[in-house]
Amino acid sequence: MSQANEEKIGIWYTAFSYLLWGILPLYWKLLESRPAMEILAHRIIWSFFFMVVLLIVTRQIASWRKQVSMMMKKPKLAGGIIAAAILISVNWFVYIWAVTHGHVVETSLGYYINPLVSVVLGVVVLKERLNLWQWISFILASIGVCVMTFQYGTFPWIALTLAFSFGIYGLVKKLASVDSAIGLTVETMVVTPISFIYLFILYDHSSLLSTLTIWQLLLLIGAGPATAVPLLYFAKGARRISLTMLGFLQYIAPTLTLLSGIFLFHEAFTKAHVYTFSCIWVALVIFSFSKTKWMQGWHDKIINRNSFGI
């Protein structure tokens, strides 16, 4: 297959994964009568079982066992995977809670901020260097968060928790260097026993189990595929396209989430939101173009002028 066709297929795979992530709030809204922690526990358990079946079908179960065996022998690797499992669990819980409690717009803000958080983590932890335009985009994003805090009167903890938990999760995954499908299986395996214990206690000491309808049970079971399928499509697509194209496509999900929050769930979109999102969007445009030849040319001109004291 030609490189052009490979890239075209990669774009479709990746765009589809972001499309699924963008409409995921619609799925959690169907379960908004259930506690967020209950939904999270089911999501973890059924994601684990779904991924195990998938690994068996794709003949990757031996690789998963090898990864588990390596965890047992290497405490550092085990610590990284446990940290990843905790981070993704926190991210999932906050996301589910926010959606089921009418904060869909703020979740979209979190995933707009996320790429910029990843940049900051790269600078702080991996000692990566930013060019002038990337610094400008980071400062603009920071201004946007400050505007939300001071004008809206509420610290955007949902957005920042989602952005930082997923950003740090991505950093841990990068350092651990584990295949996405096997990594998700191992991570959900780590927290599945805790989820089982939680559900046992929850259903044993409450009447929640008696209120669970067949439709809700099917939705909770379906949380496994709903979690895993977008990730698998993303993994297929990301291998076929450039990092720049990946950067552009990643804004599909928060944009769809934002639109659904405003037009489907009728959440408030105040002036503070307008100012904040405007700062974030401008920052993302600058960041997305920061490594193009045109922007690099302007960067070099500015640096050269400054070096001569102009």
Side-chain angles (χ1 to χ4, degrees):
M1 189 179 292
S2 68
Q3 188 174 351
N5 285 337
E6 276 285 316
E7 186 176 14
K8 189 179 293 184
I9 292 170
I11 290 171
W12 279 108
Y13 274 138
T14 310
F16 185 63
S17 70
Y18 281 122
L19 173 66
L20 292 176
W21 276 322
I23 63 175
L24 200 55
L26 303 177
Y27 193 92
W28 303 130
K29 273 288 185 180
L30 296 173
L31 288 162
E32 64 181 345
S33 63
R34 311 301 300 184
M37 191 64 77
E38 179 193 18
I39 300 171
L40 173 65
H42 278 280
R43 184 181 190 182
I44 290 168
I45 292 167
W46 296 114
S47 293
F48 171 64
F49 284 125
F50 179 82
M51 290 306 300
V52 169
V53 171
L54 188 72
L55 292 182
I56 292 171
V57 171
T58 57
R59 299 179 180 178
Q60 290 181 281
I61 199 72
S63 298
W64 172 57
R65 288 173 181 164
K66 184 179 179 181
Q67 189 67 42
V68 174
S69 178
M70 286 176 64
M71 275 181 63
M72 302 297 182
K73 298 174 183 177
K74 297 181 179 179
K76 190 175 180 180
L77 176 62
I81 290 173
I82 291 170
I86 293 170
L87 286 164
I88 199 62
S89 297
V90 169
N91 183 272
W92 286 354
F93 172 74
V94 173
Y95 186 80
I96 292 167
W97 184 91
V99 170
T100 55
H101 285 76
H103 299 284
V104 175
V105 169
E106 196 169 342
T107 65
S108 71
L109 176 62
Y111 287 109
Y112 275 124
I113 296 172
N114 175 243
L116 301 172
V117 169
S118 297
V119 171
V120 174
L121 291 172
V123 172
V124 174
V125 180
L126 303 179
K127 308 303 179 185
E128 296 176 353
R129 298 185 66 182
L130 301 185
N131 62 33
L132 175 65
W133 301 114
Q134 290 169 329
W135 276 114
I136 290 172
S137 65
F138 172 69
I139 292 167
L140 276 172
S142 301
I143 291 171
V145 172
C146 290
V147 167
M148 175 69 82
T149 302
F150 293 112
Q151 288 207 19
Y152 193 57
T154 304
F155 184 72
W157 69 269
I158 293 171
L160 292 178
T161 302
L162 289 174
F164 276 92
S165 61
F166 200 72
I168 299 171
Y169 171 75
L171 175 65
V172 171
K173 293 276 283 185
K174 181 179 178 66
L175 294 174
S177 188
V178 180
D179 175 81
S180 58
I182 294 170
L184 181 62
T185 310
V186 177
E187 289 155 18
T188 51
M189 179 194 72
V190 169
V191 285
T192 288
I194 301 170
S195 300
F196 267 121
I197 293 168
Y198 171 79
L199 289 180
F200 177 78
I201 295 170
L202 179 70
Y203 293 146
D204 188 51
H205 293 88
S206 75
S207 59
L208 271 175
L209 185 59
S210 63
T211 65
L212 191 64
T213 66
I214 295 296
W215 173 241
Q216 288 175 329
L217 179 60
L218 291 173
L219 286 172
L220 289 169
I221 294 172
T227 298
V229 170
L231 183 72
L232 297 172
Y233 274 104
F234 174 80
K236 284 185 175 184
R239 291 197 300 265
R240 293 176 165 90
I241 61 176
S242 67
L243 197 60
T244 304
M245 179 59 70
L246 195 66
F248 280 115
L249 293 174
Q250 72 182 333
Y251 304 126
I252 293 173
T255 300
L256 289 174
T257 302
L258 174 64
L259 293 174
S260 64
I262 297 171
F263 296 109
L264 291 181
F265 307 132
H266 308 292
E267 291 184 13
F269 196 71
T270 64
K271 284 185 179 180
H273 284 102
V274 173
Y275 298 146
T276 297
F277 276 89
S278 296
C279 287
I280 300 294
W281 286 329
V282 172
L284 290 174
V285 169
I286 294 172
F287 176 74
S288 298
F289 285 97
S290 63
K291 290 189 176 181
T292 61
K293 290 182 180 179
W294 184 78
M295 293 289 269
Q296 286 284 9
W298 273 97
H299 173 268
D300 293 340
K301 285 181 182 178
I302 293 169
I303 295 300
N304 289 335
R305 285 184 179 182
N306 287 338
S307 67
F308 288 106
I310 297 174

